[in-house]
Amino acid sequence: MSSAPKPNQPLVTHMYTADPSAHVYEGRIYIYPSHDLDHDGPDNDNGDQYAMEDYHVLSLDNFESPVVDHGEALHLRDIPWASKQLWAPDAAFKNDTYYLFFPARDHDGIFRIGVATGASPAGPFKPQPNYIEGSFSIDPAVLVDDDNQAYMYFGGLWGGQLEKWQTGKFVPDAEGPAENEPALGPRVALLSEDMLSFQNAPKEISIVDEEGNPILAGDEERRYFEGPWVHKHNGWYYLSYSTGTTHKLVYAVSRNPMGPYTFKGTILTPVIGWTTHHSIVQFQDRWYLFYHDSSLSGGVNHLRSVKYTELFYNEDGTIRTINPYE
Ligand code: FUB
């Protein structure tokens, strides 16, 4: 057990954690992070340095109480279809069951998305024998909407392989669109009632500017890279994500969970470390951003720490930009 967390400080220091997906279950805050691993293996644009092998769930009663590490909730060795790289997970609750959604490479080296189930939000989780049919790429984020329909958002460029799925099939040497073409968007799929499969082939989400023009692939300040998260506020769906090469968390809004989403602005300015990844959650009438940086490891990109800070909306529903080091 760690002490009560401070804003913009690592939630835990006994291990490296990243990609936090935060949810409120049973009146407490549960965080589903990646568990970063120290190793001497390759470090490249393919993301080989992110060689994670298990998940731990963290929780806290509130922001004045200690952070609890619930121990190993799922390990690579127990997932029949996965070969390596347990990347950013998310959790969902439906049918009196907790679901952990996670990406990993299959035995052909292709990223897929799997699901595991448990009776407690802290795990352990039992994986399904195979990945979700029709799934690909990384960074699943699941929204269970007010009408109980669940949506999975996912996809990431480069190591996340999204470029390779533009035809609907995996094309190993496919590259992304030209700079003056629309950027690739995240994908969304409706989850089945039992949360174990897709109801439809994933659709691409369109992100447009205020004039309705698609954000272009060369617009690295605004285009989608990875780490989608969708939350609802005052009837609007907010899609937030990482811009990757420009290291920002940005957001776009829509009245429809499937989009199109209109780009609005920046949530978080660049953090220490290459990646930036987050979630947004409401707890007791306040809103919080969970994110990570590499400050605890002295800037090692693949050794990150989960942090939190409060998030504020302006009167018009826009989100105030956060600089976590101010
Ligand atoms: O943690 C591995 C990968 O790094 C995640 O899947 C991405 O979102 C980035 O944070």
Side-chain angles (χ1 to χ4, degrees):
M1 194 179 292
S2 305
S3 51
K6 293 194 177 61
N8 300 311
Q9 298 295 327
L11 246 59
V12 293
T13 55
H14 65 283
M15 62 178 176
Y16 290 109
T17 55
D19 308 325
S21 292
H23 294 274
V24 176
Y25 295 134
E26 301 172 358
R28 309 178 74 239
I29 303 164
Y30 282 87
I31 300 132
Y32 300 85
S34 301
H35 178 193
D36 282 352
L37 201 61
D38 202 358
H39 62 88
D40 297 325
D43 186 330
N44 49 41
D45 284 350
N46 202 32
D48 290 341
Q49 61 276 32
Y50 302 102
M52 298 83 98
E53 294 182 347
D54 67 359
Y55 294 112
H56 284 224
V57 179
L58 306 176
S59 74
L60 52 163
D61 286 342
N62 53 57
F63 291 100
E64 279 75 52
S65 70
V67 180
V68 180
D69 171 4
H70 294 274
E72 187 180 287
L74 177 65
H75 194 282
L76 182 62
R77 73 172 89 82
D78 298 320
I79 308 168
W81 62 266
S83 64
K84 59 180 179 177
Q85 292 180 301
L86 292 185
W87 283 13
D90 190 20
F93 177 68
K94 191 170 164 170
N95 309 322
D96 283 328
T97 302
Y98 291 92
Y99 299 86
L100 185 74
F101 296 93
F102 57 92
R105 285 188 195 251
D106 67 12
H107 294 288
D108 296 321
I110 300 174
F111 267 110
R112 304 286 188 173
I113 296 170
V115 55
T117 57
S120 160
F125 295 97
K126 187 176 176 352
Q128 293 292 300
N130 213 338
Y131 56 78
I132 296 174
E133 196 182 333
S135 71
F136 54 88
S137 197
I138 60 166
D139 291 357
V142 172
L143 172 77
V144 181
D145 210 345
D146 302 331
D147 62 3
N148 229 18
Q149 173 61 56
Y151 300 84
M152 181 191 288
Y153 302 86
F154 64 93
L157 303 182
W158 295 14
Q161 303 178 334
L162 188 58
E163 297 92 331
K164 304 182 189 311
W165 287 95
Q166 290 170 83
T167 62
K169 293 208 160 55
F170 186 77
V171 179
D173 51 2
E175 299 199 345
E179 289 193 353
N180 58 357
E181 289 175 351
L184 295 180
R187 301 302 198 263
V188 59
L190 269 62
L191 284 164
S192 56
E193 199 44 39
D194 66 5
M195 302 286 272
L196 303 179
S197 61
F198 289 163
Q199 279 186 32
N200 61 291
K203 294 185 168 48
E204 183 170 1
I205 288 184
S206 165
I207 304 173
V208 300
D209 65 17
E210 298 282 356
E211 279 77 50
N213 301 312
I215 301 290
L216 301 181
D219 185 350
E220 296 186 30
E221 298 288 330
R222 298 191 294 177
R223 69 97 172 74
Y224 178 79
F225 190 89
E226 63 184 0
W229 184 261
V230 174
H231 74 278
K232 262 178 114 170
H233 177 250
N234 284 348
W236 288 89
Y237 294 85
Y238 287 65
L239 164 67
S240 42
Y241 56 91
S242 164
T243 59
T245 49
T246 50
H247 314 288
K248 295 198 289 190
L249 291 178
V250 298
Y251 73 106
V253 301
S254 178
R255 283 288 189 192
N256 186 324
M258 313 283 279
Y261 283 83
T262 304
F263 186 89
K264 284 291 171 186
T266 299
I267 296 175
L268 187 73
T269 55
V271 293
I272 296 167
W274 202 93
T275 66
T276 185
H277 190 123
H278 73 301
S279 59
I280 294 169
V281 68
Q282 186 177 18
F283 180 66
Q284 296 177 347
D285 293 336
R286 292 180 171 220
W287 287 86
Y288 297 91
L289 174 77
F290 284 80
Y291 67 99
H292 70 226
D293 78 1
S294 298
S295 55
L296 184 65
S297 66
V300 180
N301 287 333
H302 67 278
L303 297 178
R304 302 163 289 179
S305 299
V306 168
K307 301 180 167 186
Y308 86 93
T309 192
E310 195 166 351
L311 175 143
F312 297 94
Y313 298 90
N314 296 308
E315 287 282 302
D316 64 359
T318 55
I319 293 176
R320 282 194 224 156
T321 303
I322 297 164
N323 175 342
Y325 306 113
E326 261 177 359

